[in-house]
Amino acid sequence: MAVAAIGVAVQTAVRPAEAAAADPYAFKNVQIEGGGFVPGIIFNQSQANLVYARTDIGGAYRLDTATNRWIPLLDWVGQDNWGYNGVASLATDAVDPNKVYAAVGMYTNSWDPNNGAILRSSDKGATWQVSPLPFKIGGNMPGRGMGERLAIDPNRNSILYFGAPSGNGLWRSTDSGATWAKVTSFPNAGNYVQDPNDSNGYLTDNQGVVWVTFDKRTGTAGNTTQTIYVGVADKQNTVYRSTDGGTTWSRLAGQPTGYIAHKGVLDTVGGYLYLATSDTGGPYDGGKGDVWKYATATGTWTQISPIPSSSSDDYFGYSGLTIDRQHPNTIMVATQVSWWPDAIFWRSTDAGATWTRIWDWTSYPNRSFRYKMDVSRSPWLSFGANPQPPEVTPKLGWMNESLEIDPFNSNRFMYGTGATIYGSTDLTTWDTGGQITIKPMAPGLEETAVLDLISPPTGAPLISGLGDIGGFRHTNLDAVPSMMFTSPVFTSTTSLDYAELNPSVMVRAGNFTKSDRPNDMHAAFSTDGGANWFQGTEPGGINEGGTIAANANGSRFLWAPKNSAVVYSVGYGNSWTQSTGIPQNAIVKSDRVDPNTFYGYANGAFYVSRNGGASFTTAATGLPTTAKFKAVAGATGEIWLAGDTGGLLRSTNGGTSFTKVTTVQAANAVGFGKAAPGRTNPAVFLVGQVDGKKGVFRSDDAGATWLRVNDDQHQYGNIGDAITGDPRIFGRVYLGTNGRGIIYGDRTGPQPSYSATPSASASASASPSKSASPSASASPSKSTSPSASASPSRSASSSAPAGACNVAYSVTGQWGGGFQGAVKITNNSSTAIDGWSLKWTFANGQVINQIWGGAYTQSGANVTVTHVDYTKTIAASGGSVEFGFLSSWNDSTNAKPAAFTLNGTACSVS
């Protein structure tokens, strides 16, 4: 098949379609802890320590009491239903605590092509069933902090209600969430719209019915609760009530007007319904509001605002509202948004008659504090700030829509912010005049949106570019980094690169509003592998980073800021010169070998510069209209281009022509990692579709064949912005998600064995019809397809004869506090070794924390590494095996071990 295009050759061959084989992997998060908005924290009211959190784009979590870490519950959501990672509401069943429900869907406008759904689980979220709805849900829409929209009848738990957005009203299920019907008697679908003139439709949605609260006292076990309160986004009619089990409804008499009730929390002991109200739906805005108490027995309303809306001191709405169920007269409320100088929480022990606040003004700009903050487990939460009083760092938070006291423990509370979950375990100290200690409570909850990832061949194994919190240098994937990028701080880092031949040189570009920080630039440079950064200059009119590239040796940089001309710099941005022949908003990259060559892509055309970015020529056209591309290390002119539905294309002549990799039907992102054993071509990683299956894939033979490396339980929904392999560890993949942070995966199966590098050509499969959107079955079966090849053959067993082994120990990468080591064992005897144990002693306190190709134990300085299945045999007469490890060191001395013994016999050392 030929495509009529300039400089493009698309080649297709056909073979029978078959499912891509699987290579088993173990996946973990690169640790950041938090990084996004948590609009809802939900405690079960009958089982202690059963706690859930919902996020706006990153799914739902359950707190594991054994480890005190949050467990992700929606990683099975695939790309076809990526919007299910937007959780608009969550309900946990007090009658049967094993049951949990989630209302999912990310956007009510065109951004999410699918309708929403109610997910239901009978095993605390381990597995789910799906009940589709006939309308969209907006887990990441305005108003998402109000709620909870989803509620379970506490007496008859087969009955659930859901408050819908977009004018869709109130819905009910009578069969434990399996089917849903609109409550036609409910009179008000809401009318509050943040901005009816918003051109992209994000702010035009009617925020609808926003919370449901049952009065458990008006029912008995197994019988329908009779009194139900419902909150509506309507400033004149914000609360409704039914007293006949949902048959009829009426506006609650005497209610306050002019504001939206974000929360409606019922004290069933004292008989009070509490409301927290604001003049907007939030979560980013809100300038006025009140707190009210409604006596359910008498119908009396009492305004109990800590600062009433009539006061000039009220510059915020109220939202986060909670009751201490052990002491129901104790209540707390939070500002919906108080950006300056900080959030404010109030606490009352007399049902709102009097309040104390978490901080007070003394003499401006000084404040007194009823709290102290300990962010030692997540020190980046200071955002690298050094504010002037009255501001402090870290902040208490912002967008505080959910503040919850543990119903079984008066000392524990949690609250969500735009960056993490905070909380305390000594809350009642507040009441005795002491300071409570607030700490991050987000271990396991990873909610960053990943925009770019690089894994250089030396130094830290990973550098991340993230939305909202900039990004990090990850020296230890399993530890929270100390600080985000600074000098300057970017709101979002949009692009990263390093000089392939000089990896200590790095560059990043990102977003912030120039008028807020006129002395900061949107591009930054590092000469020490990302440990420290500095900035040069920039052309005028830039507010967004776009893409940026370092040439192969780090002497030049090419930058395409968003909506600005492409420019290049000789040196570190001291001056910039406009490039010619390439349009604005191009994606720019560098050749990884030739320092004079840069590449660009825009609107289906590929551009090449051979003079360091000064001028570009059009090399190829007719490419997919949207795409991402990368150049291959160690191969001049080799480029892979992921063209979404256009598939995966490859060029080996610097972009003059591209050949379609016909084993791939769709490609969202492509990256490269260390070559497989016996290969010289890099491993290629892909987010895309192979043989009709969407997922994450690896090819060890230049795209001829693919192995699926994720499985149905690890689909991560919204992926495709960033993927890369690790140039130091074969098989390792780093995957960027939009809301579930950075995932990294390592192979767990036997090591593949290859004898030769494949030819550049790639055969193809027929493109099967697309599968239907996956149903979220309770437990998707995992593929049992074998990995690329069987384990290597084994020879007869033997111990190493004296003097017949050699050990080569090397440090392949070193950074502050950590290093990577590689060990090669060579058998110089005439007898094969079948099973081995290698021992050595560290001299400087090094401690291994991760290993591949072997298994290890360490006691003090003494290390023992034994074989794993695929490294068990060391062939005779020069056969060898290798293993690698990650270790800590003292940042001072990292001496190589002086002696090694293999199966008790001393080896020579090289």
Side-chain angles (χ1 to χ4, degrees):
M1 177 177 66
V3 173
I6 300 173
V8 179
V10 179
Q11 301 169 352
T12 304
V14 178
R15 65 175 173 82
E18 58 186 53
D23 195 12
Y25 267 63
F27 288 98
K28 296 195 294 183
N29 268 105
V30 175
Q31 293 299 295
I32 295 172
E33 295 191 2
F37 179 35
V38 181
I41 300 166
I42 303 95
F43 282 82
N44 187 279
Q45 297 297 309
S46 65
Q47 181 172 310
N49 296 315
L50 180 55
V51 194
Y52 294 88
R54 62 178 175 93
T55 71
D56 49 7
I57 63 172
Y61 292 80
R62 185 186 72 247
L63 188 63
D64 178 50
T65 56
T67 62
N68 206 34
R69 295 182 64 84
W70 296 94
I71 300 170
L73 303 178
L74 301 184
D75 286 351
W76 54 267
V77 171
Q79 295 176 67
D80 288 334
N81 285 307
W82 56 266
Y84 286 6
N85 282 301
V87 184
S89 190
L90 187 144
T92 171
D93 193 338
V95 177
D96 181 356
N98 287 321
K99 291 184 176 180
V100 61
Y101 302 84
V104 297
M106 201 166 290
Y107 299 105
T108 60
N109 63 1
S110 60
W111 299 352
D112 188 341
N114 298 318
N115 284 338
I118 303 296
L119 308 182
R120 59 193 196 278
S121 172
S122 298
D123 51 16
K124 298 179 180 178
T127 59
W128 298 85
Q129 293 175 294
V130 179
S131 296
L133 293 172
F135 51 82
K136 294 184 179 184
I137 293 177
N140 197 35
M141 294 293 289
R144 59 192 179 274
M146 295 190 284
E148 292 293 313
R149 294 174 180 264
L150 189 60
I152 306 166
D153 189 320
N155 290 299
R156 188 174 182 177
N157 65 333
S158 59
I159 296 175
L160 292 88
Y161 282 85
F162 173 64
S166 310
N168 287 302
L170 182 67
W171 288 65
R172 176 170 52 210
S173 172
T174 58
D175 55 6
S176 299
T179 61
W180 292 80
K182 187 174 183 178
V183 181
T184 56
S185 61
F186 190 76
N188 190 345
N191 61 17
Y192 176 75
V193 173
Q194 182 170 338
D195 181 1
N197 300 313
D198 180 34
S199 59
N200 66 25
Y202 182 64
L203 304 179
T204 61
D205 189 46
N206 174 2
Q207 295 181 18
V209 180
V210 297
W211 54 263
V212 179
T213 297
F214 289 89
D215 187 344
K216 185 179 179 181
R217 302 170 300 172
T218 62
T220 56
N223 296 307
T224 303
T225 299
Q226 294 301 297
T227 299
I228 311 163
Y229 297 91
V230 173
V232 178
D234 177 345
K235 292 184 179 182
Q236 301 307 310
N237 311 280
T238 196
V239 185
Y240 287 79
R241 180 176 63 181
S242 173
T243 58
D244 53 11
T247 301
T248 62
W249 300 85
S250 60
R251 180 184 185 274
L252 195 58
Q255 66 182 264
T257 60
Y259 300 98
I260 300 168
H262 277 223
K263 306 287 179 182
V265 180
L266 185 66
D267 165 22
T268 55
V269 176
Y272 295 112
L273 174 70
Y274 292 96
L275 303 182
T277 72
S278 176
D279 57 351
T280 76
Y284 306 105
D285 55 356
K288 288 285 184 180
D290 281 305
V291 184
W292 290 86
K293 179 171 68 173
Y294 174 74
T296 59
T298 65
T300 303
W301 288 93
T302 305
Q303 187 187 74
I304 58 170
S305 308
I307 300 176
S309 60
S310 57
S311 170
S312 60
D313 291 331
D314 179 36
Y315 53 90
F316 43 76
Y318 295 92
S319 186
L321 176 66
T322 187
I323 295 174
D324 183 346
R325 298 294 177 181
Q326 302 295 310
H327 307 280
N329 280 336
T330 295
I331 59 177
M332 293 180 69
V333 70
T335 51
Q336 175 191 319
V337 169
S338 172
W339 293 105
W340 184 94
D342 208 344
I344 313 171
F345 304 150
W346 287 270
R347 183 171 168 88
S348 173
T349 56
D350 53 14
T354 61
W355 298 88
T356 54
R357 57 190 273 171
I358 200 164
W359 58 263
D360 287 292
W361 293 108
T362 53
S363 58
Y364 186 86
N366 299 310
R367 294 185 285 155
S368 62
F369 301 93
R370 285 188 171 86
Y371 73 95
K372 54 187 175 182
M373 296 206 65
D374 176 6
V375 296
S376 56
R377 74 166 299 122
S378 303
W380 63 265
L381 285 165
S382 71
F383 280 71
N386 185 26
Q388 296 299 309
E391 292 187 278
V392 298
T393 188
K395 281 181 172 287
L396 274 170
W398 53 92
M399 298 157 60
N400 305 120
E401 300 265 25
S402 185
L403 183 152
E404 308 294 336
I405 299 173
D406 185 337
F408 297 91
N409 181 353
S410 298
N411 267 314
R412 182 165 76 156
F413 88 118
M414 299 181 187
Y415 65 95
T417 74
T420 192
I421 295 175
Y422 280 121
S424 174
T425 56
D426 59 357
L427 179 58
T428 59
T429 303
W430 181 325
D431 303 328
T432 57
Q435 284 186 317
I436 66 173
T437 299
I438 293 177
K439 298 181 179 181
M441 291 186 171
L445 192 150
E446 299 287 344
E447 204 194 345
T448 49
V450 185
L451 305 180
D452 204 0
L453 297 170
I454 55 174
S455 180
T458 59
L462 184 68
I463 312 293
S464 63
L466 306 177
D468 296 333
I469 60 171
F472 298 92
R473 179 177 186 257
H474 303 270
T475 58
N476 182 345
L477 305 179
D478 299 321
V480 176
S482 60
M483 188 48 58
M484 60 185 61
F485 297 140
T486 58
S487 302
V489 172
F490 294 156
T491 303
S492 297
T493 295
T494 57
S495 182
L496 295 162
D497 198 14
Y498 65 91
E500 190 68 49
L501 307 181
N502 187 10
S504 60
V505 174
M506 293 184 176
V507 65
R508 61 184 168 95
N511 301 344
F512 63 89
T513 301
K514 184 73 170 181
S515 60
D516 292 341
R517 289 186 273 136
N519 296 322
D520 282 346
M521 309 301 157
H522 293 80
F525 306 87
S526 175
T527 57
D528 58 5
N532 297 282
W533 295 85
F534 58 93
Q535 54 187 340
T537 64
E538 71 180 20
I542 295 174
N543 269 315
E544 297 186 55
T547 58
I548 199 163
N551 76 341
N553 63 17
S555 63
R556 283 177 174 254
F557 301 90
L558 182 69
W559 187 16
K562 188 172 181 180
N563 298 328
S564 295
V566 177
V567 291
Y568 70 95
S569 176
V570 180
Y572 299 106
N574 293 325
S575 63
W576 296 91
T577 303
Q578 184 170 332
S579 304
T580 62
I582 185 171
Q584 290 186 10
N585 298 317
I587 299 171
V588 296
K589 302 284 184 182
S590 66
D591 189 87
R592 311 312 285 178
V593 177
D594 182 358
N596 292 317
T597 299
F598 284 102
Y599 304 113
Y601 165 85
N603 302 317
F606 199 82
Y607 302 86
V608 179
S609 171
R610 305 290 184 189
N611 55 7
S615 62
F616 283 79
T617 58
T618 304
T621 59
L623 300 172
T625 54
T626 59
K628 302 178 181 73
F629 75 94
K630 288 184 180 178
V632 176
T636 302
E638 183 173 349
I639 302 146
W640 293 64
L641 186 144
D644 291 338
T645 57
L648 184 64
L649 297 96
R650 180 188 184 201
S651 174
T652 57
N653 57 13
T656 300
S657 63
F658 284 81
T659 301
K660 186 171 184 178
V661 180
T662 51
T663 48
V664 175
Q665 292 93 53
N668 305 113
V670 65
F672 310 105
K674 184 177 181 179
R679 298 287 198 197
T680 58
N681 58 285
V684 183
F685 291 95
L686 172 75
V687 177
Q689 181 173 310
V690 175
D691 291 328
K693 185 73 172 180
K694 292 181 179 179
V696 184
F697 300 87
R698 190 188 79 242
S699 175
D700 299 330
D701 53 12
T705 60
W706 296 88
L707 298 167
R708 188 184 182 210
V709 301
N710 72 322
D711 55 55
D712 287 349
Q713 294 284 31
H714 300 90
Q715 299 193 67
Y716 305 112
N718 218 342
I719 57 177
D721 279 340
I723 189 172
T724 186
D726 191 308
R728 292 172 268 188
I729 303 172
F730 167 63
R732 175 168 288 179
V733 61
Y734 301 103
L735 178 65
T737 74
N738 185 24
R740 265 287 284 123
I742 309 166
I743 307 294
Y744 78 99
D746 286 313
R747 303 180 65 258
T748 58
Q751 193 81 346
S753 177
Y754 302 99
S755 59
T757 300
S759 61
S761 62
S763 59
S765 66
S767 180
S769 59
K770 292 184 178 179
S771 58
S773 298
S775 61
S777 60
S779 181
S781 61
K782 294 185 178 180
S783 169
T784 56
S785 303
S787 59
S789 68
S791 301
S793 59
R794 292 162 173 75
S795 306
S797 63
S798 173
S799 296
C805 56
N806 176 270
V807 174
Y809 176 103
S810 59
V811 175
T812 59
Q814 188 166 283
W815 54 92
F819 73 95
Q820 181 171 316
V823 177
K824 181 179 181 179
I825 308 171
T826 302
N827 177 17
N828 294 320
S829 75
S830 59
T831 305
I833 299 171
D834 189 27
W836 52 266
S837 174
L838 183 73
K839 297 184 178 182
W840 74 83
T841 301
F842 278 129
N844 308 114
Q846 300 94 328
V847 177
I848 293 176
N849 52 55
Q850 186 174 346
I851 195 168
W852 53 95
Y856 80 99
T857 58
Q858 182 169 355
S859 177
N862 299 316
V863 177
T864 300
V865 178
T866 56
H867 67 268
V868 292
D869 184 62
Y870 60 86
T871 60
K872 182 180 181 184
T873 300
I874 311 178
S877 304
S880 63
V881 295
E882 298 181 50
F883 62 87
F885 61 87
L886 297 178
S887 177
S888 63
W889 68 300
N890 60 19
D891 279 351
S892 175
T893 305
N894 189 11
K896 298 179 181 180
F900 297 84
T901 60
L902 183 69
N903 292 349
T905 300
C907 297
S908 61
V909 181
S910 61

